Amino acid sequence: LKPPKLRCALDRPRLVRLATPAKQQKLVLICAAAGYGKTTLMAQISRDYEGYTVWYQVDRFDHDPAVFLRNLIIGISQSCEGIGNRSLQRLEDATDIGREGESIIAVLNNELGEHLDKPLAICFDDLHLLDEAKFATEFLNYLISDLPDNCTIYISSRTKPNLPIGRIRVQGGMTELEGIDLQFSKNELKDLLSEIWSLNIESSILEQLHKNIEGWAAG
């Protein structure tokens, strides 16, 4: 539930602006292959966000719906003090998380709507690790559909989640960034080498390097 520390990372305000949702948008999807800087961008968004932020680093243990919901609620509770107590109690009382998950999320959305006094960003990193978990899609869809207007879900993933993306997109409810958006521009590559790594690279070599790596951040 803690975002990674940004060591030797170039600030990319261009991408942070692109990832800033329009009014009333509930979903920001950052989808690209490995090495395009999705986690770094999400961490910068989380750091600079003007409001509450929840960081959720997905891993293999989250294939248990009870673990998934508990981590989500605790993350919100830690960020927004006092919100999540009723949801956590509802989770504790549940006997079948798979069937009762939506009602638990309904309680959580009600708490957010009643008590949230600042905007909230919930950042799910590496959501592709839950591609095979049907419950995660159902829970997230329900969370997004009834989320209060001052809340936004940020998702980074190597694959597009099995959410009703088309419907959300048509309704104007999401911002989407892909690999082509995350590619380093020539100026960003120059700034990374000179400002972060203190390397002075000749312009001709910089040009060739940018061409060779095709903007791939890990490259």
Side-chain angles (χ1 to χ4, degrees), residues 76 80 83-84 86-87 105-118 120 122 143 146-148 150-151:
I76 291 173
C80 318
I83 296 179
R86 295 206 317 262
S87 313
I105 292 173
V107 175
L108 178 61
N109 275 335
N110 286 338
E111 285 191 85
L112 290 171
E114 291 169 8
H115 302 296
L116 200 62
D117 58 351
K118 289 191 294 186
L120 169 66
I122 304 175
L143 178 67
D146 282 344
L147 205 62
N150 57 344
C151 299

Side-chain angles (χ1 to χ4, degrees), residues 25-27 54 56 68-69 71-73 76 83 87 101-113 116 120-124 127 135-155 163-164 167-168:
Q25 285 188 336
K26 295 183 178 182
L27 175 62
V54 176
Y56 195 142
F68 178 83
L69 286 175
N71 285 341
L72 174 61
I73 295 169
I76 291 173
I83 296 179
S87 313
E102 289 190 359
S103 67
I104 296 168
I105 292 173
V107 175
L108 178 61
N109 275 335
N110 286 338
E111 285 191 85
L112 290 171
L116 200 62
L120 169 66
I122 304 175
C123 303
F124 291 95
L127 192 69
F135 77 85
T137 300
E138 295 172 348
F139 290 177
L140 279 173
N141 187 30
Y142 195 75
L143 178 67
I144 293 168
S145 64
D146 282 344
L147 205 62
D149 289 340
N150 57 344
C151 299
T152 305
I153 301 292
Y154 287 81
I155 291 175
L163 295 168
R167 176 176 59 80
I168 297 172

